């Protein structure tokens, strides 16, 4: 069916186009419609020039000297206001990732104490490796005893007052020295986040440079701390991912099955939902209701988590969550935390879909709250799945519209899996980089954003990189976008440049490696640190670059900041709300180079964005003499 210009301008993904057509037919509103109603967006907000930190405000600074106020009521300038707003976004993002990490530490603690209902320590090799990093005795001890000590040690990272975050010591020595020298080597994770909130209170830190340094410090506590803890402890509990085949896009929903979507972020919930859906009694019950079985699929980062550990299909990325409900084929949309649109409540009411919230931290209008806890995890998961099964009888088959689109993909390239694919050492990768077969490594990550045609930024940027022999690692909603485009298959190496194609063919790997959810960007850092250490250089010396072509969340701001703080040049595909301060813009895009050896660039054209990354890699190669 030919779609209107409007729909074609909203997304490049065929399933999304079909569902947007369906939404129009049913007169249902989506994020794109709400965005249009929002236009024009507030110019002060876009520039970061609005402050409502105290109740003398809101204050807004005119971007033009002669047409309005240049200072807030307290005297804060544009530079101060923009810097404060920016680092409060970092605090929000770091808090979200790190609280996710804390929840995993809590689950490990309960599991080690024998108090959790259905979890076990699955990866003992990783458990021992992490224990060694913390200098925990492993010899002759049970996995529960080691797990208990490890859980207590990682738990302590959040509230630590002095010292350093242990996993940050995976970074090359030079990087750690540089952080110390710049005063941005983080102490406890919570401490840095709290300090942002303190410093940005009215009348505290009013030096934009000092504010931004605290932002960077906090972001490092996220990337090398909270996020790394989330990744590592997930691996201990649920297994370190290995390459596995999966499928993506809305066509993974099935006409004859009870469809359950697990949406959100923390695998603590979704792992149990996946296990509960295999319960013979529930499967029987589904069949008794006339369904062929139970079909659990993932959405957003939860999708990444369960696909890379179990090959569970992924229904879509951030902007597809409403469209999944509009298929009319979803019995339950089960959510925990982060990136869940409150719009789902009203939308689910137009269908039979049950919108089930599970976290005490995240309740939604129109949702049924079935609170989840680790102690009774399996029991509650079965109850939730049972609710979905019962709801199958309420499906109105006349209202069902599932686009047929699905794409196969290969997911689950943890750092360990990459080393394994390379034959047990990093050497083949280093050799390929040195010979120029691989020009460099890119980490392409992040969200969808209605300000950009859905998936286009992700797909075009990644295609351009692989064409130029750049090996791409990906996480989050970028991973889902490029998987839908068929780039996450070994066959996709046909679209890569000659050098990269040769390497992929020799190893049987795709040119784009799926490394997981957004907290798993810590895996990308681990790979960069290992390559830098092997070459005896700092991360900032490597031909590596990052990109977030369609970013929107505060988590993405924290991610971008820790990636740059780790020495990796990063291209942003949507414009951050900082342009109201030429000083802050200058710090982020130029001066940061002098402090952390990397900076941001903003480029909304994905091909040009890839070009900036490639030019950066060429320059780094030249400096390394390779
Ligand atoms: O943590 S990429 S829209 S789902 S914030 Fe959210 Fe952005 Fe997707 Fe995962 Ni990450
Ligand atoms: Fe205005 Fe200053 Fe209060 Fe911000 S902190 S709202 S700039 S008076």
């Amino acid at each position: 069916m030919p779609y209107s210009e409007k729909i074609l301008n909203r997304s490049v993904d065929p399933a999304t186009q079909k569902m947007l057509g369906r939404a129009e037919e049913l007169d249902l509103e989506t994020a794109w419609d709400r965005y249009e109603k929002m236009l024009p967006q507030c110019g002060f907000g876009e520039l970061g020039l609005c402050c409502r930190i105290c109740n003398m405000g809101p204050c807004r600074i005119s971007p033009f000297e002669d047409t309005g106020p240049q200072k807030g009521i307290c005297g804060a300038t544009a530079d101060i206001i923009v810097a404060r707003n920016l680092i409060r976004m970092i605090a929000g993002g770091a808090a979200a990732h790190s609280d996710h990490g804390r929840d995993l530490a809590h689950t490990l603690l309960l599991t080690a104490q024998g108090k959790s209902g259905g979890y076990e320590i699955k990866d003992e090799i990783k458990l021992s490796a992490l224990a060694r990093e913390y200098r925990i005795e492993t010899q002759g001890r049970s996995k529960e005893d080691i797990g208990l000590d490890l859980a207590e040690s990682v738990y302590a990272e959040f509230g630590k007052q002095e010292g350093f975050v242990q996993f940050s010591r995976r970074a090359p020595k030079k990087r750690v020295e540089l952080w110390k020298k710049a005063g941005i080597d983080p102490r406890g994770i919570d401490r840095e986040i709290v300090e942002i909130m303190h410093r940005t209170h009215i009348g505290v830190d009013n030096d934009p440079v000092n504010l931004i340094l605290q932002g960077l410090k906090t972001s490092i506590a996220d990337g090398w701390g909270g996020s790394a803890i989330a990744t590592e402890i997930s691996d201990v509990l649920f297994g370190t991912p290995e390459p596995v085949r999966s499928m993506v896009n809305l066509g993974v929903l099935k006409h004859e099955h009870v469809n359950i979507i697990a949406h959100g972020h923390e695998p603590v919930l979704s792992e149990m939902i996946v296990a509960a859906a295999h319960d013979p009694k529930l499967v029987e019950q589904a069949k008794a209701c006339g369904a062929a079985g139970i079909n659990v699929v993932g959405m957003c980062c939860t999708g990444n988590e369960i696909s890379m550990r179990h090959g569970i299909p992924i229904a879509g990325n951030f902007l597809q969550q409403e469209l999944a409900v509009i298929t009319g084929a979803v019995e339950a949309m089960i959510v925990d935390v982060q990136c869940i649109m409150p719009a789902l409540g009203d939308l689910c009411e137009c269908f039979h879909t049950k919108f089930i919230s599970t976290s005490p931290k995240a309740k939604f209008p129109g949702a049924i709250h079935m609170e989840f806890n680790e102690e009774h995890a399996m029991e509650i998961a079965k109850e939730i799945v049972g609710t979905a099964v019962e709801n199958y009888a309420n499906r109105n088959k006349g209202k069902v519209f599932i686009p047929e689109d699905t794409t196969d993909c290969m997911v689950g390239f943890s750092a360990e899996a990459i080393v394994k694919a390379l034959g047990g050492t990093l050497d083949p990768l280093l050799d390929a980089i040195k010979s120029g077969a691989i020009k460099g490594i890119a980490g392409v990550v992040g969200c969808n954003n209605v300000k950009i045609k859905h998936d286009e930024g992700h797909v075009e940027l990644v295609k351009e990189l692989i064409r130029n022999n750049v090996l791409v690692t990906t996480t989050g909603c970028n991973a889902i976008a490029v998987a839908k485009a068929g780039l996450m298959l070994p066959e996709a190496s046909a679209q890569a440049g000659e050098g990269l194609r040769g390497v992929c063919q020799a190893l049987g790997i795709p040119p784009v490696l799926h490394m997981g959810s957004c907290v798993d960007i810590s895996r990308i850092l681990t790979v960069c640190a290992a390559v830098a250490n092997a070459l005896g250089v700092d991360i900032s010396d490597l031909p590596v670059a990052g990109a977030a072509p369609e970013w929107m969340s505060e988590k993405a701001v924290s991610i971008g900041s820790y990636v740059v703080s780790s020495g990796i040049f990063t291209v942003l595909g949507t414009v951050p709300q900082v342009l109201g301060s030429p000083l802050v813009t200058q710090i982020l895009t130029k001066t940061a180079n002098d402090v952390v050896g990397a900076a941001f660039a903003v480029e909304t054209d994905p091909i040009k964005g890839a070009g900036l990354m490639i030019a950066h890699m060429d320059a780094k190669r030249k400096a390394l003499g390779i």
Side-chain angles (χ1 to χ4, degrees):
M1 196 217 284
Y3 294 108
S4 63
E5 222 25 48
K6 184 166 122 185
I7 288 180
L8 296 175
N9 281 333
R10 286 178 172 183
S11 177
V12 294
D13 168 39
T16 298
Q17 291 170 355
K18 285 174 197 153
M19 290 315 299
L20 285 171
R22 179 68 176 158
E24 266 183 10
E25 253 171 61
L26 299 178
D27 200 19
L28 293 170
E29 181 189 81
T30 63
W32 284 274
D33 303 308
R34 292 188 294 275
Y35 172 57
E36 275 171 18
K37 286 184 193 162
M38 199 59 67
L39 294 173
Q41 284 176 299
C42 170
F44 294 101
E46 275 181 338
L47 295 171
L49 287 172
C50 173
C51 181
R52 36 172 296 282
I53 274 173
C54 89
N55 203 30
M56 292 194 287
C59 299
R60 57 195 175 20
I61 305 299
S62 170
F64 311 107
E65 265 178 40
D66 42 357
T67 55
Q70 294 300 297
K71 282 183 181 166
I73 296 165
C74 67
T77 58
D79 295 334
I80 295 168
I81 291 174
V82 168
R84 282 198 303 218
N85 288 342
L86 173 71
I87 75 166
R88 279 198 167 200
M89 288 188 88
I90 295 177
H97 278 148
S98 298
D99 217 28
H100 170 168
R102 187 195 328 261
D103 284 347
L104 265 304
H106 180 65
T107 309
L108 177 62
L109 187 71
L110 291 177
T111 304
Q113 291 170 335
K115 291 185 190 159
S116 73
Y119 302 100
E120 55 173 323
I121 292 172
K122 283 212 179 120
D123 189 339
E124 291 186 52
I125 297 174
K126 180 154 264 192
L127 175 75
S128 298
L130 299 177
R132 277 194 297 279
E133 278 187 85
Y134 275 99
R135 286 170 294 281
I136 293 166
E137 182 59 54
T138 55
Q139 217 51 35
R141 300 182 73 200
S142 71
K143 62 179 182 179
E144 287 74 22
D145 282 351
I146 303 169
L148 188 60
D149 284 354
L150 179 64
E152 283 171 352
S153 301
V154 292
Y155 229 170
E157 298 285 15
F158 296 93
K160 202 188 250 178
Q161 299 307 318
E162 293 300 338
F164 54 85
V165 177
Q166 182 60 46
F167 292 150
S168 69
R169 283 351 189 214
R170 293 170 172 182
K173 279 210 172 66
K174 281 185 186 167
R175 183 69 11 200
V176 174
E177 285 315 310
L178 181 152
W179 288 338
K180 283 187 188 163
K181 204 168 137 232
I184 57 172
D185 184 27
R187 302 156 294 183
I189 300 160
D190 293 353
R191 177 165 189 182
E192 303 307 351
I193 295 167
V194 166
E195 196 168 308
I196 286 188
M197 298 314 285
H198 178 190
R199 288 207 206 184
T200 54
H201 185 277
I202 181 175
V204 187
D205 196 354
N206 286 284
D207 178 333
V209 174
N210 210 37
L211 284 162
I212 289 172
L213 286 171
Q214 178 59 22
L216 298 184
K217 190 177 189 179
T218 306
S219 74
I220 297 168
D222 172 0
W224 295 87
S227 285
I229 290 170
T231 296
E232 299 293 29
I233 305 302
S234 294
D235 286 356
V236 167
L237 286 168
F238 311 123
T240 302
E242 302 252 342
V244 57
R245 289 269 174 164
S246 186
M247 266 198 323
V248 276
N249 221 343
L250 291 165
V252 302
L253 295 169
K254 294 184 180 170
H255 282 277
E256 305 301 333
H257 283 66
V258 173
N259 288 311
I260 296 177
I261 299 186
H263 174 24
H265 282 79
E266 297 182 8
V268 175
L269 169 72
S270 49
E271 282 283 328
M272 277 298 150
I273 297 291
V274 170
H278 285 112
D279 179 72
K281 270 198 197 147
L282 286 166
V283 175
E284 254 335 287
Q285 197 187 329
K287 289 186 177 158
C289 294
I294 303 173
N295 181 37
V296 177
V297 301
M299 170 77 55
C300 287
C301 281
T302 285
N304 286 314
E305 295 276 357
I306 53 181
S307 76
M308 67 179 171
R309 292 204 179 84
H310 306 284
I312 301 273
I314 306 177
N317 52 9
F318 177 72
L319 277 176
Q320 290 181 289
Q321 55 186 291
E322 292 177 284
L323 307 179
V325 174
I326 295 174
T327 62
V330 179
E331 275 57 55
M333 174 70 94
I334 303 167
V335 303
D336 56 7
V337 291
Q338 300 168 22
C339 306
I340 300 144
M341 291 192 193
L344 291 178
D346 281 348
L347 190 60
C348 286
E349 271 166 29
C350 302
F351 297 88
H352 74 303
T353 307
K354 291 216 186 307
F355 180 27
I356 304 175
S357 59
T358 58
S359 166
K361 296 173 200 168
K363 296 194 175 182
F364 297 83
I368 314 166
H369 192 68
M370 298 179 77
E371 196 154 308
F372 185 79
N373 65 57
E374 293 83 346
E375 288 90 336
H376 305 102
M378 193 40 138
E379 222 174 285
I380 302 170
K382 282 186 187 169
E383 206 182 313
I384 294 173
V385 172
T387 307
V389 169
E390 274 170 26
N391 197 26
Y392 183 74
N394 298 323
R395 188 191 292 183
N396 176 349
K397 291 201 170 162
K399 251 182 149 179
V400 172
F401 179 95
I402 305 175
E404 277 164 15
D405 309 72
T406 60
T407 313
D408 289 338
C409 55
M410 189 189 258
V411 298
F413 285 91
S414 55
E416 292 82 350
I418 292 176
V419 173
K420 209 165 159 191
L422 292 168
T425 91
L426 277 178
D427 292 348
L429 178 64
L430 300 178
D431 293 344
I433 293 174
K434 283 183 199 156
S435 74
I438 290 179
K439 186 189 283 287
I441 303 174
V444 191
V445 304
C447 326
N448 296 137
N449 186 327
V450 284
K451 292 178 178 175
I452 271 197
K453 195 191 281 186
H454 171 241
D455 286 353
E456 185 178 59
H458 288 311
V459 174
E460 292 309 314
L461 184 126
V462 168
K463 277 188 180 166
E464 182 68 5
L465 289 173
I466 63 170
R467 261 198 294 272
N468 284 279
N469 296 312
V470 175
L471 177 67
V472 175
T473 61
T474 170
T475 64
C477 288
N478 174 274
I480 301 170
V482 296
K484 283 186 282 177
L487 296 172
M488 231 179 250
L489 286 167
E491 301 87 278
S493 63
Q495 298 181 52
E498 202 186 330
L500 177 61
R501 193 185 320 141
V503 175
C504 291
Q505 283 171 350
L507 299 171
I509 58 169
V512 183
L513 301 180
H514 177 278
M515 295 194 79
S517 63
C518 288
V519 290
D520 292 332
I521 293 167
S522 63
R523 299 188 198 274
I524 303 180
L525 294 180
T526 304
V527 171
C528 289
V531 172
N533 285 333
L535 295 173
V537 298
D538 194 356
I539 296 174
S540 53
D541 299 320
L542 299 175
V544 300
E550 304 182 20
W551 75 276
M552 61 85 197
S553 71
E554 288 177 324
K555 288 184 289 173
V557 181
S558 180
I559 292 167
S561 304
Y562 72 65
V563 170
V564 165
S565 301
S566 301
I568 302 172
F569 168 67
T570 298
V571 177
L572 302 176
T574 66
V575 184
Q577 295 160 2
V578 299
L579 299 187
S581 164
L583 175 68
V584 172
T585 308
Q586 159 93 13
I587 293 170
L588 298 177
T589 56
K590 296 208 168 65
T591 327
N593 274 314
D594 307 331
V595 185
V596 290
F600 287 99
V602 179
E603 177 51 69
T604 54
D605 177 329
I607 302 292
K608 288 187 188 156
L612 293 174
M613 296 164 81
I614 292 162
H616 175 79
M617 289 173 191
D618 284 335
K620 292 292 171 185
R621 295 185 64 88
K622 202 167 164 207
L624 280 173
I626 55 175

